[in-house]
Short mmCIF file of all heavy atoms in Angstrom, two decimals:
data_model
loop_
_atom_site.label_atom_id
_atom_site.label_comp_id
_atom_site.label_asym_id
_atom_site.label_seq_id
_atom_site.Cartn_x
_atom_site.Cartn_y
_atom_site.Cartn_z
N ALA A 1 -9.72 1.26 1.46
CA ALA A 1 -8.92 2.47 1.64
C ALA A 1 -8.12 2.41 2.94
O ALA A 1 -6.92 2.75 2.95
CB ALA A 1 -9.81 3.71 1.62
N TYR A 2 -8.75 1.97 4.01
CA TYR A 2 -8.01 1.85 5.27
C TYR A 2 -6.98 0.73 5.19
O TYR A 2 -5.85 0.88 5.68
CB TYR A 2 -8.97 1.63 6.44
CG TYR A 2 -9.58 2.92 6.90
CD1 TYR A 2 -10.90 3.22 6.61
CD2 TYR A 2 -8.83 3.85 7.61
CE1 TYR A 2 -11.46 4.43 7.02
CE2 TYR A 2 -9.38 5.06 8.02
CZ TYR A 2 -10.70 5.34 7.72
OH TYR A 2 -11.24 6.53 8.12
N HIS A 3 -7.34 -0.39 4.58
CA HIS A 3 -6.43 -1.52 4.45
C HIS A 3 -5.16 -1.09 3.72
O HIS A 3 -4.04 -1.30 4.21
CB HIS A 3 -7.14 -2.66 3.70
CG HIS A 3 -6.32 -3.89 3.53
ND1 HIS A 3 -6.53 -5.01 4.30
CD2 HIS A 3 -5.31 -4.20 2.69
CE1 HIS A 3 -5.67 -5.95 3.94
NE2 HIS A 3 -4.91 -5.48 2.95
N GLU A 4 -5.31 -0.48 2.56
CA GLU A 4 -4.15 -0.07 1.77
C GLU A 4 -3.37 1.05 2.47
O GLU A 4 -2.14 1.08 2.40
CB GLU A 4 -4.56 0.33 0.36
CG GLU A 4 -5.20 -0.78 -0.45
CD GLU A 4 -4.37 -2.06 -0.54
OE1 GLU A 4 -3.13 -1.98 -0.51
OE2 GLU A 4 -4.97 -3.14 -0.65
N SER A 5 -4.08 1.93 3.15
CA SER A 5 -3.40 2.99 3.91
C SER A 5 -2.54 2.39 5.02
O SER A 5 -1.44 2.89 5.30
CB SER A 5 -4.42 3.96 4.51
OG SER A 5 -5.11 4.63 3.48
N GLY A 6 -3.03 1.33 5.66
CA GLY A 6 -2.25 0.66 6.70
C GLY A 6 -0.95 0.11 6.15
O GLY A 6 0.12 0.29 6.75
N HIS A 7 -1.02 -0.56 5.00
CA HIS A 7 0.21 -1.06 4.36
C HIS A 7 1.17 0.09 4.08
O HIS A 7 2.36 0.02 4.39
CB HIS A 7 -0.10 -1.73 3.02
CG HIS A 7 -0.74 -3.07 3.09
ND1 HIS A 7 -0.26 -4.10 3.87
CD2 HIS A 7 -1.82 -3.57 2.43
CE1 HIS A 7 -1.02 -5.17 3.69
NE2 HIS A 7 -1.97 -4.88 2.83
N ALA A 8 0.65 1.15 3.46
CA ALA A 8 1.50 2.25 3.01
C ALA A 8 2.16 3.00 4.17
O ALA A 8 3.35 3.31 4.11
CB ALA A 8 0.69 3.22 2.15
N VAL A 9 1.41 3.25 5.22
CA VAL A 9 1.97 4.00 6.36
C VAL A 9 3.06 3.18 7.04
O VAL A 9 4.13 3.71 7.35
CB VAL A 9 0.86 4.43 7.34
CG1 VAL A 9 1.43 4.92 8.66
CG2 VAL A 9 -0.02 5.51 6.70
N VAL A 10 2.85 1.91 7.25
CA VAL A 10 3.88 1.07 7.87
C VAL A 10 5.11 1.03 6.96
O VAL A 10 6.25 1.15 7.44
CB VAL A 10 3.36 -0.35 8.19
CG1 VAL A 10 4.49 -1.25 8.68
CG2 VAL A 10 2.25 -0.29 9.23
N ALA A 11 4.90 0.89 5.66
CA ALA A 11 6.03 0.85 4.72
C ALA A 11 6.82 2.16 4.74
O ALA A 11 8.04 2.15 4.63
CB ALA A 11 5.54 0.55 3.30
N LYS A 12 6.13 3.29 4.87
CA LYS A 12 6.82 4.58 4.89
C LYS A 12 7.60 4.79 6.19
O LYS A 12 8.62 5.47 6.19
CB LYS A 12 5.82 5.73 4.72
CG LYS A 12 5.17 5.83 3.36
CD LYS A 12 6.14 6.20 2.27
CE LYS A 12 6.63 7.61 2.38
NZ LYS A 12 7.60 7.97 1.34
N LEU A 13 7.14 4.22 7.27
CA LEU A 13 7.75 4.48 8.57
C LEU A 13 8.92 3.56 8.92
O LEU A 13 9.76 3.93 9.74
CB LEU A 13 6.68 4.38 9.67
CG LEU A 13 5.61 5.47 9.63
CD1 LEU A 13 4.50 5.15 10.63
CD2 LEU A 13 6.22 6.83 9.93
N LEU A 14 8.97 2.40 8.33
CA LEU A 14 10.03 1.45 8.68
C LEU A 14 11.24 1.62 7.77
O LEU A 14 11.10 1.82 6.56
CB LEU A 14 9.52 0.01 8.56
CG LEU A 14 8.60 -0.47 9.67
CD1 LEU A 14 8.10 -1.87 9.36
CD2 LEU A 14 9.31 -0.45 11.01
N PRO A 15 12.43 1.50 8.36
CA PRO A 15 13.62 1.48 7.50
C PRO A 15 13.68 0.15 6.76
O PRO A 15 12.99 -0.81 7.12
CB PRO A 15 14.77 1.60 8.51
CG PRO A 15 14.22 1.07 9.79
CD PRO A 15 12.75 1.37 9.77
N LYS A 16 14.47 0.10 5.73
CA LYS A 16 14.69 -1.13 4.96
C LYS A 16 13.43 -1.63 4.25
O LYS A 16 13.25 -2.82 4.05
CB LYS A 16 15.27 -2.24 5.83
CG LYS A 16 16.65 -1.94 6.36
CD LYS A 16 17.64 -2.83 5.69
CE LYS A 16 19.03 -2.59 6.21
NZ LYS A 16 19.91 -3.67 5.99
N THR A 17 12.52 -0.72 3.90
CA THR A 17 11.40 -1.08 3.03
C THR A 17 11.61 -0.35 1.71
O THR A 17 12.28 0.67 1.65
CB THR A 17 10.04 -0.68 3.62
OG1 THR A 17 10.02 0.73 3.85
CG2 THR A 17 9.75 -1.42 4.92
N ASP A 18 11.03 -0.90 0.66
CA ASP A 18 11.12 -0.25 -0.64
C ASP A 18 10.20 0.96 -0.66
O ASP A 18 9.17 0.98 0.02
CB ASP A 18 10.72 -1.23 -1.75
CG ASP A 18 11.73 -2.34 -1.93
OD1 ASP A 18 12.93 -2.07 -1.79
OD2 ASP A 18 11.31 -3.47 -2.22
N PRO A 19 10.54 2.00 -1.43
CA PRO A 19 9.69 3.18 -1.52
C PRO A 19 8.28 2.83 -2.02
O PRO A 19 8.13 2.02 -2.93
CB PRO A 19 10.42 4.07 -2.53
CG PRO A 19 11.83 3.58 -2.54
CD PRO A 19 11.77 2.12 -2.23
N VAL A 20 7.28 3.46 -1.41
CA VAL A 20 5.90 3.26 -1.84
C VAL A 20 5.70 4.11 -3.09
O VAL A 20 5.80 5.33 -3.05
CB VAL A 20 4.89 3.63 -0.74
CG1 VAL A 20 3.47 3.41 -1.23
CG2 VAL A 20 5.16 2.82 0.52
N HIS A 21 5.43 3.43 -4.20
CA HIS A 21 5.31 4.08 -5.50
C HIS A 21 3.88 4.53 -5.79
O HIS A 21 3.65 5.59 -6.35
CB HIS A 21 5.79 3.10 -6.57
CG HIS A 21 5.64 3.57 -7.97
ND1 HIS A 21 6.41 4.57 -8.50
CD2 HIS A 21 4.80 3.17 -8.96
CE1 HIS A 21 6.04 4.78 -9.76
NE2 HIS A 21 5.08 3.95 -10.05
N LYS A 22 2.91 3.70 -5.38
CA LYS A 22 1.52 3.98 -5.70
C LYS A 22 0.62 3.21 -4.74
O LYS A 22 0.95 2.10 -4.33
CB LYS A 22 1.21 3.54 -7.13
CG LYS A 22 -0.20 3.86 -7.60
CD LYS A 22 -0.47 3.27 -8.97
CE LYS A 22 0.25 4.06 -10.04
NZ LYS A 22 -0.17 3.68 -11.39
N VAL A 23 -0.52 3.81 -4.41
CA VAL A 23 -1.56 3.15 -3.62
C VAL A 23 -2.87 3.38 -4.35
O VAL A 23 -3.16 4.51 -4.75
CB VAL A 23 -1.65 3.70 -2.18
CG1 VAL A 23 -2.74 2.99 -1.40
CG2 VAL A 23 -0.31 3.58 -1.46
N THR A 24 -3.64 2.32 -4.53
CA THR A 24 -4.93 2.46 -5.22
C THR A 24 -5.99 1.59 -4.57
O THR A 24 -5.68 0.55 -3.99
CB THR A 24 -4.79 2.11 -6.72
OG1 THR A 24 -6.05 2.34 -7.37
CG2 THR A 24 -4.38 0.66 -6.93
N ILE A 25 -7.23 2.05 -4.68
CA ILE A 25 -8.37 1.23 -4.24
C ILE A 25 -9.20 0.79 -5.44
O ILE A 25 -10.33 0.34 -5.29
CB ILE A 25 -9.24 1.95 -3.19
CG1 ILE A 25 -9.81 3.27 -3.73
CG2 ILE A 25 -8.44 2.17 -1.91
CD1 ILE A 25 -10.85 3.91 -2.83
N ILE A 26 -8.62 0.92 -6.62
CA ILE A 26 -9.28 0.41 -7.82
C ILE A 26 -8.97 -1.09 -7.89
O ILE A 26 -7.80 -1.47 -7.88
CB ILE A 26 -8.77 1.14 -9.08
CG1 ILE A 26 -9.12 2.63 -9.01
CG2 ILE A 26 -9.37 0.50 -10.34
CD1 ILE A 26 -8.49 3.46 -10.11
N PRO A 27 -9.99 -1.93 -7.94
CA PRO A 27 -9.74 -3.38 -7.97
C PRO A 27 -8.87 -3.79 -9.16
O PRO A 27 -9.04 -3.30 -10.26
CB PRO A 27 -11.14 -3.98 -8.09
CG PRO A 27 -12.06 -2.93 -7.60
CD PRO A 27 -11.42 -1.62 -7.96
N ARG A 28 -7.92 -4.68 -8.89
CA ARG A 28 -7.04 -5.23 -9.92
C ARG A 28 -7.05 -6.75 -9.77
O ARG A 28 -6.59 -7.27 -8.76
CB ARG A 28 -5.60 -4.75 -9.71
CG ARG A 28 -5.47 -3.27 -9.58
CD ARG A 28 -4.89 -2.69 -10.83
NE ARG A 28 -4.49 -1.31 -10.63
CZ ARG A 28 -5.04 -0.30 -11.25
NH1 ARG A 28 -6.00 -0.49 -12.11
NH2 ARG A 28 -4.61 0.92 -11.04
N GLY A 29 -7.59 -7.44 -10.73
CA GLY A 29 -7.67 -8.90 -10.64
C GLY A 29 -8.46 -9.30 -9.42
O GLY A 29 -9.56 -8.82 -9.21
N ARG A 30 -7.87 -10.14 -8.58
CA ARG A 30 -8.55 -10.58 -7.36
C ARG A 30 -8.36 -9.62 -6.21
O ARG A 30 -9.01 -9.74 -5.17
CB ARG A 30 -8.04 -11.97 -6.96
CG ARG A 30 -8.46 -13.03 -7.96
CD ARG A 30 -7.99 -14.43 -7.64
NE ARG A 30 -7.45 -14.62 -6.32
CZ ARG A 30 -6.54 -15.52 -6.01
NH1 ARG A 30 -6.02 -16.28 -6.94
NH2 ARG A 30 -6.12 -15.65 -4.77
N ALA A 31 -7.45 -8.65 -6.35
CA ALA A 31 -7.17 -7.69 -5.28
C ALA A 31 -8.16 -6.53 -5.33
O ALA A 31 -8.46 -6.00 -6.39
CB ALA A 31 -5.75 -7.16 -5.41
N LEU A 32 -8.66 -6.13 -4.15
CA LEU A 32 -9.58 -5.00 -4.08
C LEU A 32 -8.83 -3.68 -4.16
O LEU A 32 -9.40 -2.65 -4.49
CB LEU A 32 -10.39 -5.07 -2.79
CG LEU A 32 -11.31 -6.28 -2.66
CD1 LEU A 32 -12.00 -6.28 -1.31
CD2 LEU A 32 -12.33 -6.29 -3.78
#
């Protein structure tokens, strides 16, 4: 939860990043 929140907050704060569409902590494949 903290890991993904870190990605999302940095992405929201920086210009020239793509919009954050979704954040999840449900494991997908090899990703937690």
Side-chain angles (χ1 to χ4, degrees):
Y2 280 106
H3 182 103
E4 298 306 330
S5 296
H7 286 310
V9 167
V10 174
K12 291 293 291 178
L13 292 172
L14 285 175
K16 295 250 182 159
T17 58
D18 291 324
V20 180
H21 176 70
K22 183 186 286 190
V23 180
T24 183
I25 59 170
I26 297 172
R28 308 254 192 245
R30 292 180 13 209
L32 297 177

